[in-house]
Amino acid sequence: MNITYEIGVMPTPEEVIELFVQAGLKRPTEPERIALMLKNADLLVTAWQEDKLVGVCRTITDWAWCAYLADLAVFTDLKSSGIGKEMIAITREKIGPQCMLILLSVPTAFDYYPKVGFNKENRAFSIERIK
């Protein structure tokens, strides 16, 4: 399996929607909204198998204190291949040691994140989006 990782390479909204749907992530499916999500990310790490998008890691950060890992998605049949772990490692390298990497997990990934170095926190709060 030959996977290449890219930083800042912008996949099409349709490629990202296909990845989110296939990976079982509940995300918007409107191309315009996905395009804005990608455009406004501070760091975008993608994984490619030849010319096929197989992973995406989208982060919002101030580059000095904290970084929010907003999306981590890998094609279902490649989930145990280390792609997610590698995209997280690239993200951590790029944001630097001064930034804390934080995220909100979907319930199905609760067991995954501690395996790749995240600590479980019980001090997060959120206000849900309206749509």
Side-chain angles (χ1 to χ4, degrees), residues 79-94:
K79 281 191 176 179
S80 296
S81 64
I83 292 171
K85 186 175 184 176
E86 182 63 21
M87 289 190 299
I88 291 168
I90 293 167
T91 298
R92 290 188 69 204
E93 177 186 324
K94 293 301 176 187

Side-chain angles (χ1 to χ4, degrees), residues 6 14 28 56 69 75 78 90 97 102 110 116-117 121 126 131:
E6 301 291 342
E14 291 76 18
V56 68
L69 197 161
F75 257 73
L78 298 173
I90 293 167
I102 56 177
F110 282 177
V116 293
E121 294 287 341
S126 68
K131 64 181 212 170

Side-chain angles (χ1 to χ4, degrees), residues 7-27:
I7 297 169
V9 170
M10 189 71 67
T12 67
E14 291 76 18
E15 288 173 311
V16 174
I17 291 167
E18 178 186 359
L19 174 59
F20 286 163
V21 168
Q22 201 282 332
L25 285 182
K26 185 178 178 185
R27 295 293 188 271

Side-chain angles (χ1 to χ4, degrees), residues 31-98:
E32 303 80 17
R33 192 168 182 185
I34 294 291
L36 282 173
M37 290 166 56
L38 296 171
K39 176 183 166 235
N40 292 316
D42 295 304
L43 178 60
L44 187 65
V45 179
T46 51
W48 302 84
Q49 190 172 41
E50 297 182 19
D51 62 348
K52 176 82 171 166
L53 179 70
V54 295
V56 68
C57 184
R58 185 176 67 91
T59 305
I60 301 161
T61 184
D62 58 20
W63 304 100
W65 182 251
C66 64
Y68 174 65
L69 197 161
D71 294 309
L72 179 66
V74 175
F75 257 73
T76 300
D77 58 346
L78 298 173
K79 281 191 176 179
S80 296
S81 64
I83 292 171
K85 186 175 184 176
E86 182 63 21
M87 289 190 299
I88 291 168
I90 293 167
T91 298
R92 290 188 69 204
E93 177 186 324
K94 293 301 176 187
I95 64 174
Q98 73 283 1

